[in-house]
């Protein structure tokens, strides 16, 4: 419900009205306020602030002798921040969080997705799947980002797979960045985009996309401030992992044709695996549990995933994959209470 935006636009339009012109300008502002409120009616039907505004507009129209028919005015631009050389649009269009706050009067919401280990997928909706997806699968495919994970068997003859390559495309955004491609493979987690650059290019908002190395060859963080998004790419043992904190508006910016996204729908039912270790593993389950408990004291899905991966692969480094994914979730999740998932 965007009634608060209508309220603030009306206040901004009438704040500085003085003298004999005030009456006509007030009526113009009130008609604009009324129009703005009508546009929000569908989404604001049950909102008390909306009903209060509607009644307030009617009272003010009567007090000011305003007719319902007449000119309306576009909302007045808000004053630029002090010391700003340019207006808001040119200054902050590539700062998503500031832009959203300016437009909606509140900070944006965020969602988290991760893919690590076997791969295990934590979706934007906090569903958790273990997948046998071999080959290339899209984690994300929306108006701003395309992320593809390529998987290969964790061991010869195994049904389990791990991510061996990640391709991330930041799509061209006219005011802010050139299209940039980031690619990581096993033993090659670069701290630069494919063209060798470390930012979004020469456009005015180029610095709103940046990449930095947190652990040489093992962990990079990509910040895309122009879409309110942060991505972490890690290598632990013989697998790559991906984590993202994305603005809700960005995560939802896709069409029906872009329906296959593991971060949105999880892995297809035919590709899901049970995390209960069955048959003969490469490491006894109790040994794996002891190894995983050292890194993951809470026996949640991250712990279960760790046990599954160590049993299946025989590689104790998979404890680091689950631990890294949990640390990313701790940083990226908007709601700390959703950190641990129990199944």
């Amino acid at each position: 419900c965007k009634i608060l935006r209508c309220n603030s636009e009306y206040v901004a339009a009438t704040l500085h009205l003085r003298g004999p012109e005030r009456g006509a300008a007030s009526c113009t502002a009130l008609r604009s306020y009324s129009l703005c409120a009508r546009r929000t009616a569908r989404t604001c039907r049950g909102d008390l602030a909306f009903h209060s505004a509607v009644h307030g507009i009617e009272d003010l129209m009567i007090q000011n002798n305003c007719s319902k028919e007449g000119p309306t005015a576009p909302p007045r631009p808000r004053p630029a921040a002090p010391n700003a050389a340019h207006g808001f649009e040119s200054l902050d269009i590539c700062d998503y969080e500031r832009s959203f706050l300016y437009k909606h009067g509140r900070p944006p919401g965020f969602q988290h997705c991760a893919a690590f280990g076997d791969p295990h997928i934590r979706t934007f909706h906090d569903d958790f799947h273990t997948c046998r997806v071999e080959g290339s699968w899209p984690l994300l495919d929306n108006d701003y980002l395309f992320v593809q994970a390529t998987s290969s068997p964790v061991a010869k003859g195994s049904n389990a797979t791990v991510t061996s390559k990640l391709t991330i495309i930041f799509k061209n955004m006219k005011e802010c960045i050139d299209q940039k491609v980031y690619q990581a493979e096993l033993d090659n987690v670069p701290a630069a985009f494919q063209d060798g650059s470390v930012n979004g290019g020469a456009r005015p908002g180029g610095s709103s996309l940046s990449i930095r190395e947190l652990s040489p060859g093992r962990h990079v963080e990509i910040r895309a401030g122009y879409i309110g998004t942060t991505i972490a790419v890690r290598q632990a043992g013989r697998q790559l992992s991906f984590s993202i904190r994305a603005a809700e508006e960005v995560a939802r910016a896709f069409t029906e044709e872009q329906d296959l996204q593991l971060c949105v729908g999880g892995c297809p039912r035919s590709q899901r695996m049970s995390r209960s270790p069955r048959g003969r593993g490469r490491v006894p389950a109790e040994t794996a549990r002891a190894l995983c408990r050292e890194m993951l004291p809470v026996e949640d899905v991250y712990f279960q995933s760790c046990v599954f991966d160590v049993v299946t692969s025989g590689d104790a480094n998979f404890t680091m994959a689950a631990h890294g994914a949990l640390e990313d979730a701790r940083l990226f999740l908007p709601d700390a209470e959703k950190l641990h998932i129990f199944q």
Side-chain angles (χ1 to χ4, degrees), residues 185-202:
E185 298 184 63
L186 286 177
D187 300 323
N188 182 20
V189 181
F193 297 107
Q194 263 198 326
D195 62 4
S197 65
V198 293
N199 60 34

Side-chain angles (χ1 to χ4, degrees), residues 117-118 120 130-131 153-162 273-285 288 304-316 318:
D118 183 70
H120 311 285
T130 294
C131 313
V154 64
K156 196 172 181 182
S158 171
N159 267 341
T161 57
V162 289
M273 298 175 71
S274 164
R275 279 186 299 281
S276 302
R278 289 184 185 149
R280 293 186 61 187
R282 291 165 185 265
V283 169
Q304 293 173 14
S305 302
C306 174
V307 173
F308 178 91
D309 290 347
V310 174
V311 167
T312 306
S313 68
D315 184 354
F318 275 90

Side-chain angles (χ1 to χ4, degrees), residues 84-106:
H86 308 284
F88 170 81
E89 290 299 322
S90 58
L91 183 70
D92 284 331
I93 200 156
C94 299
D95 184 331
Y96 179 86
E97 292 188 45
R98 281 184 72 178
S99 176
F100 190 95
L101 184 63
Y102 174 87
K103 289 175 186 168
H104 303 283
R106 62 175 177 83

